[in-house]
Amino acid sequence: VTRFVDGPLVDHHCHGLVRRDLSRAEFERLLNESSGPSALGGSVFDSMVGLAVRRHCAPLLDLEPLAEADAYIARRLELEHDEVARRMLAACGVADFVVDTGFMPGAVCGPATVAELAGGAQAHSVARLETVAEALLADGTDAADFVALLVDRLKSSGAVGAKSIAAYRVGLDLPAEKPTEEQLVRALADVAPDRSGAFRVAHPTVNGYLAWTAIELGMPLQFHVGYGDADINLRESDPLRLTPFLRATQDRGTPILLLHNYPFHRHAGYLAQVFEHVFMDVGLALHNVGALGRTLLAESLELVPFGKMLYSSDAFGLPELYQLGSTLFRRGLSSVLSDLVGAGELTEPDAHRIARLIGSENARRVYHLAGN
Ligand SMILES: [Zn+2]
């Protein structure tokens, strides 16, 4: 069932995982974008991602496929938490993890630990622009020094790319011109700390300036697009809103990677087709839709050039999510390709080549990763 997608993958967008024992409620809180089981709507296990855990993760913990949720959680607690992580990550067949280190760094492990738990994969990091900017502001950086220090921090980060979470803060109507430093300084004056002293960059000029800075530094720029937790206004995070920004940056030579995209994955496929520097994935959505992922992949492939689609899990917290991302990607894409081969629309070597492009080669080209 994964015959065309059996090679090593590059997971070009994921996070760290939680290294401690989790109760059923804590596990459910991390399983999808909800805040956990709903008093009105029941367990997160009663959803496609819950079924996927029982179907595809239970056997890795020596349980029968589709073991009950309580039995799954009990077995998880019986094994040491790092042992669970090692089993899940080894089953991914991921050679390189590209890890966003900017979200709740205190709660999850770093890139090196993810790669080590996977049994010796390569680890890379992505710098989250808003986190870098907020750290500068928290350090008391003067607005006049902000630009130089921002560029310094990004250049010295060792990251293979940058990530914008403008979608979470101001939506994706980013400026089609880089704001001037004067405009930036004025905007920074409006960014005030909360009561705890933490800054939250949510100003169109500042979020826009950050994205433009990554473009000018030539750092492959990821955007959170579409599907996310209740903190996002999904309506404001349709990738079509980025069109003026994409048009304005297309001659810069910096790749732009649209992450997740669901339910706007067809919009993302269109943008990847018409703008030379635009790429996409359907991470996060893929494990959430579980066994229905074939449709999601097929709809994405309607327009996206095969050289513009990437694999990501967008796993955060639970080791199961890396494994589900990989398994459902392999099964879903193989199913789509098999049908095309069966219908005489594609040769078998074509199918293998397309699977390699999407599974690893596109990411290696975009982020300049070594290896095959
Ligand atoms: Zn993410």
Side-chain angles (χ1 to χ4, degrees):
V1 288
T2 62
R3 68 180 174 132
F4 290 117
V5 197
D6 46 12
L9 301 176
V10 174
D11 186 344
H12 92 110
H13 172 65
C14 62
H15 304 262
L17 58 87
V18 173
R19 292 177 79 191
R20 61 180 176 82
D21 289 337
L22 298 172
S23 67
R24 177 164 172 170
E26 289 174 313
F27 184 87
E28 291 196 30
R29 268 200 288 282
L30 288 166
L31 191 50
N32 69 7
E33 298 303 295
S34 72
S35 50
S38 155
L40 295 174
S43 167
V44 180
F45 273 100
D46 272 335
S47 65
M48 291 311 295
V49 67
L51 292 180
V53 168
R54 292 172 52 209
R55 165 68 179 85
H56 296 292
C57 301
L60 293 176
L61 303 187
D62 317 310
L63 299 169
E64 291 297 316
L66 295 172
E68 293 297 332
D70 278 335
Y72 184 83
I73 297 295
R75 176 60 180 155
R76 218 178 174 278
L77 289 168
E78 201 174 278
L79 292 165
E80 206 253 327
H81 53 77
D82 275 355
E83 173 62 15
V84 174
R86 275 190 289 272
R87 291 188 188 193
M88 295 297 159
L89 290 175
C92 295
V94 168
D96 293 68
F97 292 92
V98 180
V99 183
D100 172 356
T101 52
F103 184 55
M104 298 179 69
V108 294
C109 70
T113 306
V114 173
E116 192 185 305
L117 288 167
Q122 295 295 311
H124 315 275
S125 68
V126 163
R128 191 185 276 233
L129 294 166
E130 285 77 4
T131 304
V132 173
E134 286 158 4
L136 283 174
L137 295 172
D139 288 349
T141 305
D142 201 74
D145 301 330
F146 182 87
V147 169
L149 285 170
L150 171 69
V151 169
D152 266 8
R153 292 243 175 136
L154 290 175
K155 278 187 172 172
S156 62
S157 64
V160 298
K163 179 180 174 193
S164 164
I165 54 161
Y168 266 97
R169 300 298 177 78
V170 294
L172 290 176
D173 290 312
L174 291 187
E177 265 180 20
K178 188 180 185 187
T180 64
E181 288 194 22
E182 213 176 22
Q183 289 170 326
L184 175 71
V185 167
R186 269 204 305 277
L188 283 172
D190 294 340
V191 181
D194 65 15
R195 257 181 249 153
S196 73
F199 285 83
R200 180 179 161 89
V201 170
H203 189 298
T205 303
V206 183
N207 295 86
Y209 191 93
L210 295 172
W212 272 101
T213 301
I215 293 285
E216 291 189 341
L217 290 175
M219 295 178 87
L221 175 56
Q222 302 177 341
F223 277 100
H224 177 101
V225 179
Y227 189 27
D229 64 32
D231 204 23
I232 204 163
N233 290 320
L234 194 58
R235 191 194 290 276
E236 316 300 323
S237 66
D238 184 325
L240 296 180
R241 289 183 179 261
L242 275 174
T243 305
F245 180 85
L246 298 176
R247 201 174 278 134
T249 53
Q250 64 182 331
D251 297 328
R252 303 295 182 116
T254 302
I256 290 180
L257 302 111
L258 308 177
L259 305 178
H260 324 319
N261 296 299
Y262 185 87
F264 310 117
H265 47 287
R266 281 171 152 159
H267 299 190
Y270 159 76
L271 293 168
Q273 180 181 97
V274 300
F275 291 112
E276 193 185 350
H277 62 324
V278 174
F279 296 76
M280 71 171 285
D281 73 31
V282 287
L284 182 60
L286 200 52
H287 62 251
N288 270 281
V289 304
L292 305 177
R294 186 195 183 287
T295 306
L296 176 59
L297 285 163
E299 288 178 352
S300 305
L301 286 169
E302 287 167 355
L303 290 191
V304 71
F306 305 139
K308 297 293 203 71
M309 177 93 175
L310 280 72
Y311 167 67
S312 88
S313 65
D314 192 30
F316 175 89
L318 298 179
E320 280 84 349
L321 301 181
Y322 305 81
Q323 194 262 336
L324 287 179
S326 157
T327 297
L328 296 167
F329 172 76
R330 291 177 188 278
R331 293 170 69 96
L333 184 57
S334 278
S335 166
V336 174
L337 294 173
S338 294
D339 286 358
L340 290 170
V341 170
E345 304 289 346
L346 199 64
T347 67
E348 291 218 4
D350 282 333
H352 283 289
R353 190 174 55 80
I354 292 166
R356 280 199 306 275
L357 284 173
I358 299 174
S360 62
E361 288 176 8
N362 293 337
R364 291 195 185 284
R365 185 171 71 253
V366 166
Y367 296 103
H368 304 290
L369 307 181
N372 43 18

